[in-house]
């Protein structure tokens, strides 16, 4: 590894910041030694703040109906082969009940942008979950809504919100989304969420079509300035019913390299080793944790719908019961010396 790389990694660890050009250099000059050094530092920083605890989030994919047409996504509205479903309130509550039994203390309600789920429907549901499980956090991942709607859902008790920015490069955003979607609006949503008081998560896909090292550097710069409480990154995986079906997917090594860098930029960030990472490699999530991640998000959705919430091809764990997923993940984490804990797993933020 050259001296410049060494110096950049050392400075990143101390200052949590590099210039755009320096981030780009770090990405362009990725090598095994640099990856190893970054992972060592990232693991050390994570250890100081979160120890060897891994937080679990129970993911409830409650609707795959979506008004958007994101070019990369398997549940885009143009995909006529997608078998659409919407869980009832009763179904969702029963996922929470099972999840609570299994030790989950965060429920992530995720869906396509399904117009059925108005604030009038969602607020009472959130209140109900919070009153039944007052020791649990509710995370929402419902896409773009108005600031007023985000405020109402927050007032109803939602604690966190995940909204990946997808790419911090406006021109790139426009190549991944249809013309009616707006980069500026998505970024405004993220600012609104954080201002309202949500623990807010941004994030992006690694290896998405047209992505360059420069664009990844822009993602890192955005994360540095936005300082999210959570950050979801995972490899892009092509879906057979999208225009990007023949594109190559993102890689394990680059994703883990970026996980380490993000840990050093925002030391206390809640960083998942995503299901997509587990999909491209049998021990992808373990490698993610060993690169600085500290969260896993197994599925709590009813097995009957799991295969239908197909954002990308070959998604893992679509046949397993929630209990099996939870056990399997605990074993996987133990095998590398980490422990899945029964805890809300809030961000341990010292400075805001
Ligand atoms: N509709 C909501 C949340 C659901 S999609 C929203 O817009 O936020 C959740 C995430 O899955 C997206 O943010 C995207 O980054 C990721 N995703 C979608 N298609 C994917 C693909 N083909 N490969 C990998 N990740 C994908």
């Amino acid at each position: 590894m050259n001296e410049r790389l060494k110096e950049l990694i050392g400075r990143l660890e101390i200052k949590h910041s590099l210039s755009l050009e320096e981030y780009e250099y770090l990405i362009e000059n990725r090598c095994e030694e640099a990856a190893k050094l970054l992972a060592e530092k990232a693991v050390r920083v994570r250890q100081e703040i979160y120890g060897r605890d891994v937080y679990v989030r129970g993911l409830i994919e409650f609707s795959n109906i979506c008004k958007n047409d994101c070019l990369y996504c398997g549940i885009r509205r143009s995909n006529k082969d997608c078998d659409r479903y919407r869980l009832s309130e009763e179904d969702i509550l029963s996922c929470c009940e099972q999840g609570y039994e299994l030790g989950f203390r965060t429920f992530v309600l995720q869906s396509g942008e399904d117009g059925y789920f108005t604030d009038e429907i969602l607020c009472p549901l959130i209140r109900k979950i919070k009153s039944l499980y007052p020791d649990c956090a509710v995370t929402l991942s419902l896409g773009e809504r108005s600031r007023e709607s985000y405020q109402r859902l927050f007032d109803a008790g939602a604690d966190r919100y995940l909204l990946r920015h997808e790419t911090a490069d406006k021109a790139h955003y426009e190549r991944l989304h249809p013309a009616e979607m707006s980069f500026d609006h998505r970024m405004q949503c993220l600012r609104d969420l954080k201002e309202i008081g949500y623990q807010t998560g941004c994030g992006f896909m690694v290896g998405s079509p047209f992505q360059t090292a420069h664009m990844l550097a822009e993602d890192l710069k955005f994360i540095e300035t936005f300082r999210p409480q959570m950050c979801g990154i995972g490899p892009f995986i092509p879906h057979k019913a999208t225009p990007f079906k023949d594109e190559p997917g993102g890689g394990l090594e680059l994703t883990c390299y970026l996980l380490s860098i993000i840990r050093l930029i925002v030391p206390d960030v809640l960083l998942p080793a995503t299901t997509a990472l587990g999909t491209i490699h049998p021990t992808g999530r373990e490698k993610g944790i060993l690169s600085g991640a500290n969260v896993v998000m197994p599925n709590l959705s009813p097995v009957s719908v799991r295969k239908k919430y197909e954002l990308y091809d070959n998604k893992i764990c679509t046949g397993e019961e929630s209990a099996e997923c939870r056990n399997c993940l605990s074993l996987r984490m133990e095998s590398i010396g980490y422990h899945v804990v029964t805890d809300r797993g809030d961000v341990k933020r010292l400075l805001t």
Side-chain angles (χ1 to χ4, degrees), residues 66 68 72-75 110-113 141-144 162-164 166 186 203-205 234-239 276 309 311-313:
C66 193
N68 285 335
Y72 46 82
C73 183
I75 65 168
Q110 190 179 84
S111 67
E113 291 198 16
S141 178
L142 320 171
E144 295 172 43
L162 302 174
L163 184 75
R164 291 187 177 181
E166 311 298 358
R186 200 159 181 95
F204 59 92
M205 292 179 290
F236 161 69
I237 304 173
H239 185 285
Y309 197 85
L311 306 175
Y312 48 79
D313 288 339

PDB file of all heavy atoms in Angstrom, residues 66 68 72-75 110-113 141-144 162-164 166 186 203-205 234-239 276 309 311-313, ligand 1:
ATOM      1  N   CYS A  66     -46.629  -0.211  -5.279  1.00  0.00           N
ATOM      2  CA  CYS A  66     -45.792   0.989  -5.360  1.00  0.00           C
ATOM      3  C   CYS A  66     -46.173   1.835  -6.549  1.00  0.00           C
ATOM      4  O   CYS A  66     -46.333   1.336  -7.661  1.00  0.00           O
ATOM      5  CB  CYS A  66     -44.316   0.603  -5.448  1.00  0.00           C
ATOM      6  SG  CYS A  66     -43.234   2.031  -5.166  1.00  0.00           S
ATOM      7  N   ASN A  68     -44.250   4.197  -7.637  1.00  0.00           N
ATOM      8  CA  ASN A  68     -43.010   4.636  -8.293  1.00  0.00           C
ATOM      9  C   ASN A  68     -42.522   3.608  -9.299  1.00  0.00           C
ATOM     10  O   ASN A  68     -42.957   2.451  -9.294  1.00  0.00           O
ATOM     11  CB  ASN A  68     -41.925   4.904  -7.251  1.00  0.00           C
ATOM     12  CG  ASN A  68     -42.182   6.210  -6.516  1.00  0.00           C
ATOM     13  OD1 ASN A  68     -42.849   7.111  -7.034  1.00  0.00           O
ATOM     14  ND2 ASN A  68     -41.665   6.306  -5.303  1.00  0.00           N
ATOM     15  N   TYR A  72     -34.352   0.257 -11.158  1.00  0.00           N
ATOM     16  CA  TYR A  72     -33.597  -0.885 -10.633  1.00  0.00           C
ATOM     17  C   TYR A  72     -34.438  -1.824  -9.786  1.00  0.00           C
ATOM     18  O   TYR A  72     -33.994  -2.909  -9.418  1.00  0.00           O
ATOM     19  CB  TYR A  72     -32.432  -0.359  -9.767  1.00  0.00           C
ATOM     20  CG  TYR A  72     -32.861   0.738  -8.799  1.00  0.00           C
ATOM     21  CD1 TYR A  72     -33.456   0.437  -7.580  1.00  0.00           C
ATOM     22  CD2 TYR A  72     -32.710   2.082  -9.148  1.00  0.00           C
ATOM     23  CE1 TYR A  72     -33.883   1.440  -6.719  1.00  0.00           C
ATOM     24  CE2 TYR A  72     -33.130   3.094  -8.289  1.00  0.00           C
ATOM     25  CZ  TYR A  72     -33.712   2.765  -7.076  1.00  0.00           C
ATOM     26  OH  TYR A  72     -34.148   3.763  -6.247  1.00  0.00           O
ATOM     27  N   CYS A  73     -35.649  -1.421  -9.430  1.00  0.00           N
ATOM     28  CA  CYS A  73     -36.374  -2.110  -8.361  1.00  0.00           C
ATOM     29  C   CYS A  73     -37.400  -3.117  -8.871  1.00  0.00           C
ATOM     30  O   CYS A  73     -38.205  -2.812  -9.757  1.00  0.00           O
ATOM     31  CB  CYS A  73     -37.057  -1.072  -7.477  1.00  0.00           C
ATOM     32  SG  CYS A  73     -37.906  -1.819  -6.056  1.00  0.00           S
ATOM     33  N   GLY A  74     -37.381  -4.299  -8.288  1.00  0.00           N
ATOM     34  CA  GLY A  74     -38.267  -5.381  -8.706  1.00  0.00           C
ATOM     35  C   GLY A  74     -39.742  -5.147  -8.438  1.00  0.00           C
ATOM     36  O   GLY A  74     -40.597  -5.775  -9.074  1.00  0.00           O
ATOM     37  N   ILE A  75     -40.081  -4.244  -7.513  1.00  0.00           N
ATOM     38  CA  ILE A  75     -41.509  -3.996  -7.249  1.00  0.00           C
ATOM     39  C   ILE A  75     -41.982  -2.688  -7.902  1.00  0.00           C
ATOM     40  O   ILE A  75     -43.029  -2.156  -7.549  1.00  0.00           O
ATOM     41  CB  ILE A  75     -41.852  -4.038  -5.732  1.00  0.00           C
ATOM     42  CG1 ILE A  75     -41.172  -2.928  -4.938  1.00  0.00           C
ATOM     43  CG2 ILE A  75     -41.493  -5.408  -5.144  1.00  0.00           C
ATOM     44  CD1 ILE A  75     -41.709  -2.765  -3.503  1.00  0.00           C
ATOM     45  N   GLN A 110     -41.710  -1.553   6.409  1.00  0.00           N
ATOM     46  CA  GLN A 110     -41.259  -1.130   5.079  1.00  0.00           C
ATOM     47  C   GLN A 110     -42.282  -1.505   4.021  1.00  0.00           C
ATOM     48  O   GLN A 110     -42.956  -2.528   4.126  1.00  0.00           O
ATOM     49  CB  GLN A 110     -39.906  -1.762   4.740  1.00  0.00           C
ATOM     50  CG  GLN A 110     -39.295  -1.175   3.479  1.00  0.00           C
ATOM     51  CD  GLN A 110     -37.933  -1.769   3.138  1.00  0.00           C
ATOM     52  OE1 GLN A 110     -37.836  -2.823   2.522  1.00  0.00           O
ATOM     53  NE2 GLN A 110     -36.874  -1.078   3.537  1.00  0.00           N
ATOM     54  N   SER A 111     -42.376  -0.659   2.989  1.00  0.00           N
ATOM     55  CA  SER A 111     -43.327  -0.932   1.904  1.00  0.00           C
ATOM     56  C   SER A 111     -42.947  -0.158   0.656  1.00  0.00           C
ATOM     57  O   SER A 111     -42.091   0.720   0.685  1.00  0.00           O
ATOM     58  CB  SER A 111     -44.738  -0.494   2.321  1.00  0.00           C
ATOM     59  OG  SER A 111     -44.776   0.908   2.455  1.00  0.00           O
ATOM     60  N   GLY A 112     -43.629  -0.491  -0.432  1.00  0.00           N
ATOM     61  CA  GLY A 112     -43.607   0.366  -1.608  1.00  0.00           C
ATOM     62  C   GLY A 112     -44.389   1.634  -1.269  1.00  0.00           C
ATOM     63  O   GLY A 112     -44.971   1.746  -0.188  1.00  0.00           O
ATOM     64  N   GLU A 113     -44.428   2.572  -2.174  1.00  0.00           N
ATOM     65  CA  GLU A 113     -45.222   3.782  -1.920  1.00  0.00           C
ATOM     66  C   GLU A 113     -46.674   3.483  -2.291  1.00  0.00           C
ATOM     67  O   GLU A 113     -47.111   3.686  -3.414  1.00  0.00           O
ATOM     68  CB  GLU A 113     -44.638   4.985  -2.668  1.00  0.00           C
ATOM     69  CG  GLU A 113     -43.294   5.400  -2.089  1.00  0.00           C
ATOM     70  CD  GLU A 113     -42.852   6.819  -2.460  1.00  0.00           C
ATOM     71  OE1 GLU A 113     -43.704   7.610  -2.920  1.00  0.00           O
ATOM     72  OE2 GLU A 113     -41.660   7.119  -2.285  1.00  0.00           O
ATOM     73  N   SER A 141     -40.090   2.891   6.828  1.00  0.00           N
ATOM     74  CA  SER A 141     -39.368   2.961   5.558  1.00  0.00           C
ATOM     75  C   SER A 141     -40.415   2.892   4.455  1.00  0.00           C
ATOM     76  O   SER A 141     -40.683   1.850   3.872  1.00  0.00           O
ATOM     77  CB  SER A 141     -38.371   1.794   5.463  1.00  0.00           C
ATOM     78  OG  SER A 141     -37.681   1.811   4.233  1.00  0.00           O
ATOM     79  N   LEU A 142     -41.058   4.046   4.234  1.00  0.00           N
ATOM     80  CA  LEU A 142     -42.244   4.121   3.378  1.00  0.00           C
ATOM     81  C   LEU A 142     -42.018   5.006   2.170  1.00  0.00           C
ATOM     82  O   LEU A 142     -42.959   5.339   1.458  1.00  0.00           O
ATOM     83  CB  LEU A 142     -43.425   4.716   4.171  1.00  0.00           C
ATOM     84  CG  LEU A 142     -43.612   4.282   5.631  1.00  0.00           C
ATOM     85  CD1 LEU A 142     -44.674   5.143   6.293  1.00  0.00           C
ATOM     86  CD2 LEU A 142     -44.010   2.812   5.681  1.00  0.00           C
ATOM     87  N   GLY A 143     -40.768   5.451   1.981  1.00  0.00           N
ATOM     88  CA  GLY A 143     -40.488   6.315   0.851  1.00  0.00           C
ATOM     89  C   GLY A 143     -40.789   7.773   1.142  1.00  0.00           C
ATOM     90  O   GLY A 143     -40.804   8.202   2.299  1.00  0.00           O
ATOM     91  N   GLU A 144     -41.053   8.527   0.062  1.00  0.00           N
ATOM     92  CA  GLU A 144     -41.199   9.982   0.169  1.00  0.00           C
ATOM     93  C   GLU A 144     -42.630  10.367   0.527  1.00  0.00           C
ATOM     94  O   GLU A 144     -43.587   9.875  -0.067  1.00  0.00           O
ATOM     95  CB  GLU A 144     -40.807  10.627  -1.169  1.00  0.00           C
ATOM     96  CG  GLU A 144     -39.337  10.411  -1.500  1.00  0.00           C
ATOM     97  CD  GLU A 144     -38.953  10.873  -2.893  1.00  0.00           C
ATOM     98  OE1 GLU A 144     -39.403  11.968  -3.317  1.00  0.00           O
ATOM     99  OE2 GLU A 144     -38.209  10.136  -3.568  1.00  0.00           O
ATOM    100  N   LEU A 162     -36.053   5.290   7.653  1.00  0.00           N
ATOM    101  CA  LEU A 162     -35.024   4.921   6.665  1.00  0.00           C
ATOM    102  C   LEU A 162     -35.452   5.390   5.290  1.00  0.00           C
ATOM    103  O   LEU A 162     -36.531   5.032   4.814  1.00  0.00           O
ATOM    104  CB  LEU A 162     -34.858   3.396   6.599  1.00  0.00           C
ATOM    105  CG  LEU A 162     -34.481   2.664   7.881  1.00  0.00           C
ATOM    106  CD1 LEU A 162     -34.521   1.147   7.643  1.00  0.00           C
ATOM    107  CD2 LEU A 162     -33.099   3.100   8.334  1.00  0.00           C
ATOM    108  N   LEU A 163     -34.625   6.211   4.678  1.00  0.00           N
ATOM    109  CA  LEU A 163     -34.885   6.658   3.313  1.00  0.00           C
ATOM    110  C   LEU A 163     -33.533   6.780   2.616  1.00  0.00           C
ATOM    111  O   LEU A 163     -32.822   7.776   2.778  1.00  0.00           O
ATOM    112  CB  LEU A 163     -35.610   8.017   3.318  1.00  0.00           C
ATOM    113  CG  LEU A 163     -36.024   8.534   1.944  1.00  0.00           C
ATOM    114  CD1 LEU A 163     -37.242   7.771   1.406  1.00  0.00           C
ATOM    115  CD2 LEU A 163     -36.343  10.029   1.977  1.00  0.00           C
ATOM    116  N   ARG A 164     -33.172   5.765   1.882  1.00  0.00           N
ATOM    117  CA  ARG A 164     -31.883   5.843   1.192  1.00  0.00           C
ATOM    118  C   ARG A 164     -31.907   6.984   0.189  1.00  0.00           C
ATOM    119  O   ARG A 164     -32.894   7.139  -0.530  1.00  0.00           O
ATOM    120  CB  ARG A 164     -31.601   4.524   0.473  1.00  0.00           C
ATOM    121  CG  ARG A 164     -31.317   3.374   1.430  1.00  0.00           C
ATOM    122  CD  ARG A 164     -30.876   2.179   0.618  1.00  0.00           C
ATOM    123  NE  ARG A 164     -30.514   1.049   1.444  1.00  0.00           N
ATOM    124  CZ  ARG A 164     -30.080  -0.108   0.933  1.00  0.00           C
ATOM    125  NH1 ARG A 164     -29.971  -0.252  -0.382  1.00  0.00           N
ATOM    126  NH2 ARG A 164     -29.759  -1.099   1.728  1.00  0.00           N
ATOM    127  N   GLU A 166     -30.039   6.961  -2.300  1.00  0.00           N
ATOM    128  CA  GLU A 166     -29.784   6.164  -3.528  1.00  0.00           C
ATOM    129  C   GLU A 166     -28.521   6.583  -4.274  1.00  0.00           C
ATOM    130  O   GLU A 166     -27.746   5.738  -4.689  1.00  0.00           O
ATOM    131  CB  GLU A 166     -30.982   6.127  -4.498  1.00  0.00           C
ATOM    132  CG  GLU A 166     -32.338   5.780  -3.877  1.00  0.00           C
ATOM    133  CD  GLU A 166     -32.446   4.391  -3.232  1.00  0.00           C
ATOM    134  OE1 GLU A 166     -31.468   3.623  -3.276  1.00  0.00           O
ATOM    135  OE2 GLU A 166     -33.515   4.090  -2.675  1.00  0.00           O
ATOM    136  N   ARG A 186     -36.150  14.152  -2.774  1.00  0.00           N
ATOM    137  CA  ARG A 186     -35.698  13.073  -1.890  1.00  0.00           C
ATOM    138  C   ARG A 186     -34.751  13.632  -0.818  1.00  0.00           C
ATOM    139  O   ARG A 186     -34.854  13.310   0.352  1.00  0.00           O
ATOM    140  CB  ARG A 186     -35.022  11.957  -2.690  1.00  0.00           C
ATOM    141  CG  ARG A 186     -34.992  10.639  -1.905  1.00  0.00           C
ATOM    142  CD  ARG A 186     -34.820   9.432  -2.798  1.00  0.00           C
ATOM    143  NE  ARG A 186     -34.826   8.187  -2.052  1.00  0.00           N
ATOM    144  CZ  ARG A 186     -35.901   7.410  -1.860  1.00  0.00           C
ATOM    145  NH1 ARG A 186     -37.085   7.772  -2.319  1.00  0.00           N
ATOM    146  NH2 ARG A 186     -35.808   6.284  -1.184  1.00  0.00           N
ATOM    147  N   GLY A 203     -28.662   6.219   2.585  1.00  0.00           N
ATOM    148  CA  GLY A 203     -27.911   5.073   2.072  1.00  0.00           C
ATOM    149  C   GLY A 203     -27.998   4.953   0.570  1.00  0.00           C
ATOM    150  O   GLY A 203     -28.708   5.715  -0.089  1.00  0.00           O
ATOM    151  N   PHE A 204     -27.257   3.999   0.043  1.00  0.00           N
ATOM    152  CA  PHE A 204     -27.177   3.863  -1.418  1.00  0.00           C
ATOM    153  C   PHE A 204     -26.818   2.425  -1.790  1.00  0.00           C
ATOM    154  O   PHE A 204     -26.411   1.647  -0.929  1.00  0.00           O
ATOM    155  CB  PHE A 204     -26.131   4.840  -1.976  1.00  0.00           C
ATOM    156  CG  PHE A 204     -24.742   4.630  -1.414  1.00  0.00           C
ATOM    157  CD1 PHE A 204     -23.824   3.794  -2.044  1.00  0.00           C
ATOM    158  CD2 PHE A 204     -24.350   5.275  -0.241  1.00  0.00           C
ATOM    159  CE1 PHE A 204     -22.548   3.598  -1.516  1.00  0.00           C
ATOM    160  CE2 PHE A 204     -23.066   5.079   0.286  1.00  0.00           C
ATOM    161  CZ  PHE A 204     -22.166   4.245  -0.355  1.00  0.00           C
ATOM    162  N   MET A 205     -26.996   2.115  -3.049  1.00  0.00           N
ATOM    163  CA  MET A 205     -26.608   0.794  -3.559  1.00  0.00           C
ATOM    164  C   MET A 205     -25.171   0.868  -4.078  1.00  0.00           C
ATOM    165  O   MET A 205     -24.784   1.879  -4.682  1.00  0.00           O
ATOM    166  CB  MET A 205     -27.536   0.381  -4.697  1.00  0.00           C
ATOM    167  CG  MET A 205     -28.962   0.108  -4.226  1.00  0.00           C
ATOM    168  SD  MET A 205     -30.042  -0.336  -5.589  1.00  0.00           S
ATOM    169  CE  MET A 205     -30.162   1.234  -6.434  1.00  0.00           C
ATOM    170  N   GLY A 234     -25.877  -1.535   0.423  1.00  0.00           N
ATOM    171  CA  GLY A 234     -25.816  -2.937   0.037  1.00  0.00           C
ATOM    172  C   GLY A 234     -25.572  -3.007  -1.454  1.00  0.00           C
ATOM    173  O   GLY A 234     -25.772  -2.017  -2.166  1.00  0.00           O
ATOM    174  N   PRO A 235     -25.107  -4.158  -1.934  1.00  0.00           N
ATOM    175  CA  PRO A 235     -24.842  -4.286  -3.366  1.00  0.00           C
ATOM    176  C   PRO A 235     -26.118  -4.169  -4.190  1.00  0.00           C
ATOM    177  O   PRO A 235     -27.169  -4.669  -3.774  1.00  0.00           O
ATOM    178  CB  PRO A 235     -24.248  -5.691  -3.489  1.00  0.00           C
ATOM    179  CG  PRO A 235     -24.778  -6.438  -2.305  1.00  0.00           C
ATOM    180  CD  PRO A 235     -24.901  -5.421  -1.209  1.00  0.00           C
ATOM    181  N   PHE A 236     -26.023  -3.499  -5.319  1.00  0.00           N
ATOM    182  CA  PHE A 236     -27.096  -3.561  -6.312  1.00  0.00           C
ATOM    183  C   PHE A 236     -27.119  -4.986  -6.862  1.00  0.00           C
ATOM    184  O   PHE A 236     -26.069  -5.566  -7.143  1.00  0.00           O
ATOM    185  CB  PHE A 236     -26.828  -2.560  -7.444  1.00  0.00           C
ATOM    186  CG  PHE A 236     -27.605  -2.864  -8.694  1.00  0.00           C
ATOM    187  CD1 PHE A 236     -28.990  -2.709  -8.723  1.00  0.00           C
ATOM    188  CD2 PHE A 236     -26.968  -3.348  -9.838  1.00  0.00           C
ATOM    189  CE1 PHE A 236     -29.714  -3.038  -9.871  1.00  0.00           C
ATOM    190  CE2 PHE A 236     -27.686  -3.663 -10.981  1.00  0.00           C
ATOM    191  CZ  PHE A 236     -29.056  -3.498 -11.001  1.00  0.00           C
ATOM    192  N   ILE A 237     -28.326  -5.556  -6.973  1.00  0.00           N
ATOM    193  CA  ILE A 237     -28.494  -6.897  -7.546  1.00  0.00           C
ATOM    194  C   ILE A 237     -29.571  -6.774  -8.615  1.00  0.00           C
ATOM    195  O   ILE A 237     -30.684  -6.332  -8.319  1.00  0.00           O
ATOM    196  CB  ILE A 237     -28.934  -7.925  -6.472  1.00  0.00           C
ATOM    197  CG1 ILE A 237     -27.939  -7.947  -5.294  1.00  0.00           C
ATOM    198  CG2 ILE A 237     -29.082  -9.314  -7.076  1.00  0.00           C
ATOM    199  CD1 ILE A 237     -28.386  -8.804  -4.113  1.00  0.00           C
ATOM    200  N   PRO A 238     -29.251  -7.124  -9.859  1.00  0.00           N
ATOM    201  CA  PRO A 238     -30.251  -6.937 -10.909  1.00  0.00           C
ATOM    202  C   PRO A 238     -31.509  -7.781 -10.677  1.00  0.00           C
ATOM    203  O   PRO A 238     -31.440  -8.857 -10.075  1.00  0.00           O
ATOM    204  CB  PRO A 238     -29.530  -7.368 -12.186  1.00  0.00           C
ATOM    205  CG  PRO A 238     -28.288  -8.072 -11.755  1.00  0.00           C
ATOM    206  CD  PRO A 238     -27.982  -7.651 -10.359  1.00  0.00           C
ATOM    207  N   HIS A 239     -32.633  -7.256 -11.105  1.00  0.00           N
ATOM    208  CA  HIS A 239     -33.896  -7.995 -11.044  1.00  0.00           C
ATOM    209  C   HIS A 239     -34.349  -8.280 -12.473  1.00  0.00           C
ATOM    210  O   HIS A 239     -34.309  -7.393 -13.329  1.00  0.00           O
ATOM    211  CB  HIS A 239     -34.948  -7.171 -10.297  1.00  0.00           C
ATOM    212  CG  HIS A 239     -36.239  -7.915 -10.092  1.00  0.00           C
ATOM    213  ND1 HIS A 239     -37.146  -8.119 -11.111  1.00  0.00           N
ATOM    214  CD2 HIS A 239     -36.747  -8.541  -8.998  1.00  0.00           C
ATOM    215  CE1 HIS A 239     -38.174  -8.823 -10.641  1.00  0.00           C
ATOM    216  NE2 HIS A 239     -37.948  -9.093  -9.371  1.00  0.00           N
ATOM    217  N   ALA A 276     -29.035  -8.011   1.211  1.00  0.00           N
ATOM    218  CA  ALA A 276     -28.439  -8.063  -0.134  1.00  0.00           C
ATOM    219  C   ALA A 276     -26.994  -8.545  -0.061  1.00  0.00           C
ATOM    220  O   ALA A 276     -26.534  -9.304  -0.920  1.00  0.00           O
ATOM    221  CB  ALA A 276     -28.529  -6.695  -0.809  1.00  0.00           C
ATOM    222  N   TYR A 309     -42.065  -9.830  -2.047  1.00  0.00           N
ATOM    223  CA  TYR A 309     -41.376  -8.552  -1.823  1.00  0.00           C
ATOM    224  C   TYR A 309     -39.968  -8.703  -2.383  1.00  0.00           C
ATOM    225  O   TYR A 309     -38.981  -8.770  -1.678  1.00  0.00           O
ATOM    226  CB  TYR A 309     -41.339  -8.204  -0.328  1.00  0.00           C
ATOM    227  CG  TYR A 309     -41.013  -6.746  -0.060  1.00  0.00           C
ATOM    228  CD1 TYR A 309     -42.017  -5.774  -0.079  1.00  0.00           C
ATOM    229  CD2 TYR A 309     -39.712  -6.342   0.197  1.00  0.00           C
ATOM    230  CE1 TYR A 309     -41.718  -4.445   0.153  1.00  0.00           C
ATOM    231  CE2 TYR A 309     -39.413  -5.006   0.429  1.00  0.00           C
ATOM    232  CZ  TYR A 309     -40.416  -4.073   0.411  1.00  0.00           C
ATOM    233  OH  TYR A 309     -40.117  -2.741   0.642  1.00  0.00           O
ATOM    234  N   LEU A 311     -37.221  -7.176  -4.327  1.00  0.00           N
ATOM    235  CA  LEU A 311     -36.587  -5.976  -4.878  1.00  0.00           C
ATOM    236  C   LEU A 311     -35.537  -6.365  -5.895  1.00  0.00           C
ATOM    237  O   LEU A 311     -35.265  -5.646  -6.851  1.00  0.00           O
ATOM    238  CB  LEU A 311     -35.925  -5.173  -3.754  1.00  0.00           C
ATOM    239  CG  LEU A 311     -36.816  -4.797  -2.560  1.00  0.00           C
ATOM    240  CD1 LEU A 311     -35.984  -4.106  -1.490  1.00  0.00           C
ATOM    241  CD2 LEU A 311     -37.973  -3.914  -2.997  1.00  0.00           C
ATOM    242  N   TYR A 312     -34.926  -7.553  -5.674  1.00  0.00           N
ATOM    243  CA  TYR A 312     -33.857  -8.052  -6.540  1.00  0.00           C
ATOM    244  C   TYR A 312     -33.954  -9.574  -6.591  1.00  0.00           C
ATOM    245  O   TYR A 312     -34.646 -10.192  -5.770  1.00  0.00           O
ATOM    246  CB  TYR A 312     -32.483  -7.608  -6.002  1.00  0.00           C
ATOM    247  CG  TYR A 312     -32.290  -7.863  -4.524  1.00  0.00           C
ATOM    248  CD1 TYR A 312     -31.962  -9.125  -4.033  1.00  0.00           C
ATOM    249  CD2 TYR A 312     -32.463  -6.831  -3.595  1.00  0.00           C
ATOM    250  CE1 TYR A 312     -31.801  -9.359  -2.691  1.00  0.00           C
ATOM    251  CE2 TYR A 312     -32.309  -7.058  -2.227  1.00  0.00           C
ATOM    252  CZ  TYR A 312     -31.977  -8.329  -1.786  1.00  0.00           C
ATOM    253  OH  TYR A 312     -31.833  -8.559  -0.444  1.00  0.00           O
ATOM    254  N   ASP A 313     -33.252 -10.184  -7.563  1.00  0.00           N
ATOM    255  CA  ASP A 313     -33.331 -11.636  -7.750  1.00  0.00           C
ATOM    256  C   ASP A 313     -32.660 -12.412  -6.610  1.00  0.00           C
ATOM    257  O   ASP A 313     -31.708 -11.933  -5.998  1.00  0.00           O
ATOM    258  CB  ASP A 313     -32.652 -12.030  -9.073  1.00  0.00           C
ATOM    259  CG  ASP A 313     -33.478 -11.608 -10.289  1.00  0.00           C
ATOM    260  OD1 ASP A 313     -34.697 -11.397 -10.140  1.00  0.00           O
ATOM    261  OD2 ASP A 313     -32.888 -11.493 -11.392  1.00  0.00           O
TER     262      ASP A 313
HETATM  263  N1  LIG B   1     -40.122   2.283  -1.039  1.00  0.00           N
HETATM  264  C1  LIG B   1     -39.282   2.610   0.065  1.00  0.00           C
HETATM  265  C2  LIG B   1     -38.524   1.473   0.673  1.00  0.00           C
HETATM  266  C3  LIG B   1     -38.401   0.164  -0.050  1.00  0.00           C
HETATM  267  S1  LIG B   1     -37.082  -0.118  -1.155  1.00  0.00           S
HETATM  268  C4  LIG B   1     -38.334   3.709  -0.334  1.00  0.00           C
HETATM  269  O1  LIG B   1     -38.412   4.229  -1.422  1.00  0.00           O
HETATM  270  O2  LIG B   1     -37.519   4.102   0.486  1.00  0.00           O
HETATM  271  C5  LIG B   1     -35.689  -0.300  -0.078  1.00  0.00           C
HETATM  272  C6  LIG B   1     -34.327  -0.157  -0.740  1.00  0.00           C
HETATM  273  O3  LIG B   1     -34.027  -1.294  -1.522  1.00  0.00           O
HETATM  274  C7  LIG B   1     -34.180   0.977  -1.731  1.00  0.00           C
HETATM  275  O4  LIG B   1     -33.928   2.179  -1.072  1.00  0.00           O
HETATM  276  C8  LIG B   1     -33.028   0.519  -2.633  1.00  0.00           C
HETATM  277  O5  LIG B   1     -31.802   1.136  -2.266  1.00  0.00           O
HETATM  278  C9  LIG B   1     -32.967  -0.986  -2.394  1.00  0.00           C
HETATM  279  N2  LIG B   1     -33.131  -1.717  -3.671  1.00  0.00           N
HETATM  280  C10 LIG B   1     -34.124  -1.596  -4.574  1.00  0.00           C
HETATM  281  N3  LIG B   1     -33.887  -2.354  -5.655  1.00  0.00           N
HETATM  282  C11 LIG B   1     -32.692  -2.972  -5.440  1.00  0.00           C
HETATM  283  C12 LIG B   1     -31.877  -3.864  -6.207  1.00  0.00           C
HETATM  284  N4  LIG B   1     -32.234  -4.274  -7.428  1.00  0.00           N
HETATM  285  N5  LIG B   1     -30.713  -4.296  -5.654  1.00  0.00           N
HETATM  286  C13 LIG B   1     -30.336  -3.896  -4.431  1.00  0.00           C
HETATM  287  N6  LIG B   1     -31.049  -3.036  -3.686  1.00  0.00           N
HETATM  288  C14 LIG B   1     -32.217  -2.570  -4.170  1.00  0.00           C
END
